[in-house]
């Protein structure tokens, strides 16, 4: 990332404020990104000359401060740039905090240790102790990713069945057809309305979900079961997860088969909620390798392929 001196920023802003040149021409003249020049000018207007100074010390923010910034941005009719100037925080940083908070709740705002974990070498005696503590059973667990994937596919199967019973011009059809990703979202927004393409109207995400589920009780049951399972599994609530699976009542839909599969492998599913093991990183690496193969249409030799894979996942 290119870092610019405070003097350069001041010169660029001063030249623009003289009124003889536009941002586009100024960025071309100085050989600078247009967006960067516009950001300097906006920051100067909002916060003055201090906004152009480079910080020499890296700052850290508490979870409470991040939550306050997000709440202020969502509850006040101010632009991201204005909020950034008010709290003296980069606008991109606020956007990242907000996205992480909406997807993973407050846990995503907590500081996480950086760097790789220290590798622990086990000798044979310690390995025997691990076996005696049933660690092997946990390694055979049904990993969380596959459980969520199973329930998501089942819900999509029921959704497709519901689509065949609807008029293609109805609101319900538009939601189920075009906004299917909303039904896989763990925490849909129930407060802020936005324009939803496909439905072609302003609505909250939760309202769109209600439009799609209220017409079909079977699909509503599948959606609620999916959300309950997701929350219990990702929240590591093993007892709640067990109750959802064991107390499920069949209703003659593909959901019965999925729940029967989970009930048959109940011990592995419970281990998935209790254990910290995850095959998520492996699944991510496999996806990257597959995308590489599709994009390159093959390689001239195997060594070239392995070299590109090492570069991709390093």
């Amino acid at each position: 990332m290119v870092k610019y001196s405070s003097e350069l920023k001041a010169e660029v802003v001063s030249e623009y404020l003289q009124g003889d040149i536009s941002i586009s021409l100024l960025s071309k003249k100085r050989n600078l990104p247009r967006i960067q020049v516009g950001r300097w000018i906006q920051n100067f207007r909002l916060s003055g000359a201090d906004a152009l100074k480079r910080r020499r010390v890296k700052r850290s923010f508490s979870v409470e401060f991040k939550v306050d910034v997000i709440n202020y941005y969502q509850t006040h009719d101010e632009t991201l740039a204005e909020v950034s100037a008010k709290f003296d925080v980069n606008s991109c940083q606020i956007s990242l905090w907000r996205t992480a908070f909406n997807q993973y709740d407050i846990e995503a705002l907590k500081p996480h240790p950086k760097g790789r974990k220290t590798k622990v070498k086990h000798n044979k005696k310690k390995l025997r102790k691990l076996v005696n503590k049933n660690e092997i059973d946990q390694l055979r667990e049904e990993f969380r990713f596959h459980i969520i994937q199973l329930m998501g596919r089942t819900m999509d199967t029921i959704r497709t069945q519901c689509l065949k019973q609807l008029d293609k011009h109805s609101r319900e059809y538009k939601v189920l057809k075009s906004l299917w990703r909303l039904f896989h979202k763990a925490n849909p927004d129930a407060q802020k309305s936005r324009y939803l393409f496909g439905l072609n109207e302003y609505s909250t995400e939760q309202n769109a979900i209600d439009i799609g589920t209220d017409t079909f009780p079977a699909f509503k049951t599948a959606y609620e079961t999916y959300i309950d399972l997701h929350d219990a599994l990702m929240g590591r609530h093993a007892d709640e997860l067990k109750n959802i699976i064991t107390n499920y009542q069949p209703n003659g839909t593909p959901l019965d088969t999925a729940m029967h599969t989970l009930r048959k492998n109940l011990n592995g599913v419970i281990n998935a909620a209790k254990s910290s093991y995850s095959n998520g990183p492996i699944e991510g690496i496999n996806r990257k390798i597959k995308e590489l193969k599709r994009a390159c249409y093959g390689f001239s030799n195997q060594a070239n392929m392995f070299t590109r894979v090492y570069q991709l996942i390093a």
Side-chain angles (χ1 to χ4, degrees), residues 76-93:
H76 290 71
D77 189 18
E78 295 184 14
T79 64
L80 188 59
E82 292 172 337
V83 176
S84 171
K86 180 179 179 64
F87 289 93
D88 192 23
V89 181
N90 190 286
S91 58
C92 296
Q93 187 66 69

Side-chain angles (χ1 to χ4, degrees), residues 16-276:
Y16 173 78
L17 293 178
Q18 291 176 4
D20 298 331
I21 192 170
S22 66
I23 294 178
S24 298
L25 293 177
L26 180 58
S27 61
K28 290 180 180 178
K29 176 182 176 181
R30 294 277 186 167
N31 196 23
L32 294 169
R34 183 184 181 281
I35 295 177
Q36 190 68 67
V37 173
R39 188 176 297 158
W40 292 343
I41 295 170
Q42 187 178 49
N43 291 342
F44 177 80
R45 286 173 170 170
L46 292 172
S47 303
D50 291 338
L52 304 179
K53 295 180 180 179
R54 285 183 56 188
R55 295 188 177 91
R56 301 296 178 182
V57 181
K58 186 176 181 180
R59 298 186 299 169
S60 60
F61 304 96
S62 65
V63 177
E64 292 76 15
F65 176 79
K66 296 176 184 178
V67 172
D68 290 342
V69 174
I70 295 171
N71 286 337
Y72 184 88
Y73 176 59
Q74 293 181 335
T75 56
H76 290 71
D77 189 18
E78 295 184 14
T79 64
L80 188 59
E82 292 172 337
V83 176
S84 171
K86 180 179 179 64
F87 289 93
D88 192 23
V89 181
N90 190 286
S91 58
C92 296
Q93 187 66 69
I94 297 175
S95 182
L96 289 174
W97 291 346
R98 181 169 174 262
T99 301
F101 180 76
N102 289 338
Q103 290 182 349
Y104 306 107
D105 211 343
I106 199 170
E107 289 295 326
L109 302 180
K110 295 180 179 179
H112 299 286
K114 297 182 178 180
R116 296 182 179 180
K117 294 182 179 179
T118 305
K119 293 184 178 179
V120 180
K121 296 183 178 180
H122 298 288
N123 56 31
K124 292 183 179 180
K125 291 183 179 179
K126 290 185 177 180
L127 286 176
R128 291 194 189 99
K129 290 181 180 179
L130 289 175
V131 174
N132 293 335
K133 292 180 180 179
N134 296 323
E135 290 290 329
I136 299 300
D137 290 337
Q138 289 187 338
L139 287 173
R140 292 172 179 169
E141 67 186 6
E142 292 289 328
F143 286 104
R144 294 182 291 276
F145 170 79
H146 293 294
I147 297 172
I148 298 301
Q149 186 182 55
L150 170 66
M151 296 304 298
R153 287 178 175 174
T154 302
M155 184 173 62
D156 283 338
T157 301
I158 301 174
R159 179 180 60 83
T160 304
Q161 293 175 351
C162 296
L163 278 172
K164 297 177 181 179
Q165 306 176 38
L166 292 170
D167 177 15
K168 293 186 178 182
H169 300 288
S170 64
R171 298 173 74 216
E172 293 81 1
Y173 183 91
K174 293 177 181 178
V175 170
L176 294 176
K177 179 69 174 180
S178 303
L179 302 177
W180 58 271
R181 288 184 179 85
L182 291 180
F183 298 100
H184 293 265
K185 195 170 183 179
N187 298 300
D189 191 349
Q191 302 295 329
K192 190 173 182 180
S193 295
R194 62 185 181 88
Y195 190 81
L196 298 178
F197 292 95
L199 182 59
N200 298 328
E201 61 182 69
Y202 284 89
S203 173
T204 63
E205 293 177 344
Q206 186 59 56
N207 183 54
I209 291 173
D210 292 340
I211 293 173
T213 56
D214 288 346
T215 308
F216 299 98
F219 181 60
K220 186 173 185 178
T221 300
Y223 171 73
E224 292 175 347
T225 304
Y226 170 82
I227 294 298
D228 292 342
L229 274 170
H230 181 279
D231 293 345
L233 188 62
M234 304 311 291
R236 307 289 179 83
H237 305 307
D239 293 336
E240 182 181 346
L241 183 63
K242 183 177 180 180
N243 290 334
I244 294 172
I245 296 173
T246 55
N247 295 333
Y248 172 78
Q249 298 297 323
N251 56 8
T253 65
L255 183 62
D256 297 348
T257 304
M259 296 301 289
H260 175 72
T261 302
L262 296 182
R263 190 178 292 121
K264 186 171 61 175
N265 300 277
L266 187 59
N267 290 334
V269 175
I270 298 304
N271 282 338
K274 292 180 178 179
S275 174
S276 60

